[in-house]
Amino acid sequence: MTTSKKSPYSLAIVYLLLAVLLYFLDSRGTLGSVHSATQALTTPVRSFLFNTKQNILSPLSVFSDSSKQEQRVKELEEKNASLSAQLAKLTGLQEENEKMRRLLGTDLPPSWQFATARVVTVTADTLVLTSDHAPQDDTSVITTKESGIFVGRVQEVKGKEVQILLPSHSSSKIPVIVRDSESGLRQASGIGVGRGGRAVLEQVLTSEQIKEGDLILTSGEGGVPEELLLGYVAEVSRVEGAAWQQAEIKSAVDLDDLDFVFFVTKF
Amino acid sequence: MSANLFLLLSLIFSLLQGSFLPPVLVEGAIVLLVVLAAPPRQAFLALFAGGIIFDLVQSQTLGLTSLVFLLSGVAILAMRDQLPLQKPIVAGVVAALVTLVRAKVVFASFLFAPSVVVGLLTILIFLFVWQPLSSSRIRLQ
């Protein structure tokens, strides 16, 4: 009796040790070829399923007027995000005269280099891409070359699949600045911190004025290119007497509508 | 549930989850079912292999899901004499917990909505599809 009760647990320990060994080897990148071989089979299927989901969801929205309006609002928000990013960029150019000359007539500096990647799927706070280009860890990802909306940073590369840590991921911290949505003037600086499913603007001094709708842009610190639109200020929280205030960040990008994104390989 | 059925479901749902369904969903239910329905030796092998399938298809670090599945399996086996796991509510809570743990460990985020869904799904399975065979085992109705 004792033997039959013990043996399954000892078997479990053997499998646990095997799992730990695999985890260790894969963490060191030794099993990249195994991932590549599997992805060759599974990525087309997952991509097909993701597109099928999008196709199923899109026609359903046509049947209700509210969905049409939501679609219209979404389009306008995207346009607004694009315009806001351009406005912020122009303001940044005014602050630095030298940079202005270099950037005049373009949205992003011509010296920047990009590599394209196709969106496979979105899982929790991670975006999964597939690309022939193997980016380095922490490479920034933006939506389009023209508008420069920040999507996230490269977390891990497995074969041809690249995992992008979104700003809402619990381990994401991005130094940011806040600009007024109308004047484009710099209002505050802080850190965009992921809270799992949402992002929060933290470490903003209470003496600095931020309000709903203000633009949140990357500050250029921490290896992220500057003046990329991260999102908008939404719902500011202030505690009387506290040194810091914080605010919810409304994302500037709708991940479900993304087909292609760009790695900023040089900036 | 046989170990083969568990592996087949692992393959199907690892493809569906993330691309068509939420990134975590059925794993809590199927882990519980395979541990309660299959002999322990087969169950552990299935949990290990199932975890590898999930990690490979979802491009996660290999072994991570196997660790979660195996530790959950050991915990369920150890608890099955103490907890009335054949009761739908208890089974639902355990399945939801397993899903929640995988969500946190693999995706670094507590995904409450899919965990609640899998809890309810498990309750329905235990109410209408599975019957208790004894206090610690179950069989298909």
Side-chain angles (χ1 to χ4, degrees), chain A residues 15 23 26 46 121 161 163 170, chain B residues 18 44-45 57 59 62 108:
Chain A
Y15 288 132
Y23 179 77
D26 202 19
R46 292 174 71 205
T121 185
E161 277 196 13
Q163 291 185 3
S170 56
Chain B
F44 285 130
L45 175 60
V57 175
S59 292
L62 279 182

Side-chain angles (χ1 to χ4, degrees), chain A residues 5 7-9 11-12 15-16 18-20 22-23 26-27 31 34-35 38-39 42 45-46 49-50 53 56 121-125 156 158 161 163 169-170, chain B residues 14-21 23 40-41 44-45 48 52 55-64 66-67 70-71 74 77-78 81 104 107-109 111:
Chain A
K5 273 217 160 189
S7 56
Y9 287 109
L11 195 67
Y15 288 132
L16 277 169
L18 257 177
V20 171
L22 279 173
Y23 179 77
D26 202 19
S27 302
L31 302 173
V34 180
H35 282 287
T38 314
Q39 284 158 15
T42 58
V45 179
R46 292 174 71 205
L49 289 168
F50 186 64
K53 185 176 85 174
I56 290 171
T121 185
V122 184
T123 54
D125 295 314
E156 203 169 12
K158 286 195 184 298
E161 277 196 13
Q163 291 185 3
H169 196 281
S170 56
Chain B
S14 59
L15 282 166
L16 285 171
Q17 287 176 198
S19 48
F20 199 84
L21 298 170
R41 283 173 163 271
F44 285 130
L45 175 60
F48 173 74
I52 298 295
D55 286 336
L56 270 178
V57 175
Q58 295 190 328
S59 292
Q60 301 298 330
T61 309
L62 279 182
L64 201 55
S66 294
L67 279 172
L70 284 165
L71 289 173
V74 169
L77 265 185
D81 293 332
K104 182 62 183 171
F107 298 103
S109 179
L111 300 172

